């Protein structure tokens, strides 16, 4: 498949990936420079100002382009992201926590209290403390066997 005289066969992309690359306004040279990243990753990285060198550095650490972009946007380093991941958090959790201004220890406390990270961070953004959230949640839980939701 060629377009504007470009030889897409040199890229190793299949027909649908070539269509994606063309749709993202990538050139054969772009695809070859960014190899082994897929056209969507190349487009997304370029759109958000992530250089090929940075993308490769993050990828060598096991971090996909989408997570690298968001981590850099909120000021997380690869090392910080790995600390979050070592404690069972996703890159999205780490980035959202950084945006919210919450430390890993605080997020761990919310998780240990039974809150999922996105919900916990939403509560924090609305001014809730962990103690207040636990009281509010528990107030609405009926004991098992009491004829409420648990029974």
């Amino acid at each position: 498949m060629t377009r504007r005289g470009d030889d897409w066969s040199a890229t190793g992309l299949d027909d649908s990936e070539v269509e994606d690359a063309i749709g993202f306004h990538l050139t054969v040279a772009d695809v070859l420079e960014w190899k082994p990243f897929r056209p969507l990753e190349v487009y997304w990285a370029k759109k958000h100002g992530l250089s090929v060198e940075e993308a490769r550095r993050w990828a060598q650490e096991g971090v996909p382009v989408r997570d690298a972009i968001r981590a850099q946007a909120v000021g997380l380093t690869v090392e910080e992201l790995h600390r979050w991941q070592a404690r069972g958090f996703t890159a999205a959790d780490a980035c959202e926590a950084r945006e919210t201004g919450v430390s890993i220890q605080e997020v761990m406390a919310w998780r240990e209290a039974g809150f999922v990270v996105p919900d916990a961070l939403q509560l924090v953004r609305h001014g809730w403390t962990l103690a207040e959230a636990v009281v509010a949640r528990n107030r609405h839980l009926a004991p098992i066997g009491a004829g409420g939701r648990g029974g």
Side-chain angles (χ1 to χ4, degrees):
M1 173 178 246
T2 62
R3 181 172 168 169
R4 290 170 276 161
D6 294 333
D7 182 10
W8 286 96
S9 64
T11 64
L13 300 177
D14 66 29
D15 287 346
S16 69
E17 292 172 314
V18 169
E19 289 174 14
D20 288 345
I22 292 169
F24 292 131
H25 304 286
L26 301 175
T27 65
V28 169
D30 291 330
V31 172
L32 292 173
E33 176 187 7
W34 282 80
K35 212 168 192 169
F37 296 104
R38 309 320 303 162
L40 178 60
E41 294 171 308
V42 176
Y43 166 76
W44 200 244
K46 290 177 76 156
K47 178 180 178 177
H48 293 280
L50 186 69
S51 72
V52 67
E53 295 81 15
E54 292 171 304
R56 284 194 176 111
R57 184 176 62 82
W58 284 87
Q60 286 172 344
E61 294 290 332
V63 181
V65 166
R66 70 174 184 277
D67 293 338
I69 291 166
R70 186 150 184 225
Q72 281 197 324
V74 299
L76 277 176
T77 65
V78 171
E79 295 76 21
E80 290 172 306
L81 184 57
H82 284 326
R83 281 195 292 277
W84 281 86
Q85 291 171 328
R87 289 178 173 86
F89 295 105
T90 66
D93 293 338
C95 292
E96 190 173 349
R98 172 60 66 95
E99 288 174 332
T100 307
V102 179
S103 72
I104 194 167
Q105 292 79 17
E106 291 173 278
V107 176
M108 288 175 65
W110 281 85
R111 182 176 64 183
E112 288 170 13
F115 292 90
V116 295
V117 175
D119 291 350
L121 295 173
Q122 184 70 12
L123 289 167
V124 168
R125 283 191 291 274
H126 287 281
W128 288 75
T129 66
L130 176 56
E132 292 168 336
V134 168
V135 168
R137 178 194 60 203
N138 292 346
R139 183 178 322 133
H140 298 289
L141 295 178
I144 294 176
R149 291 184 197 164

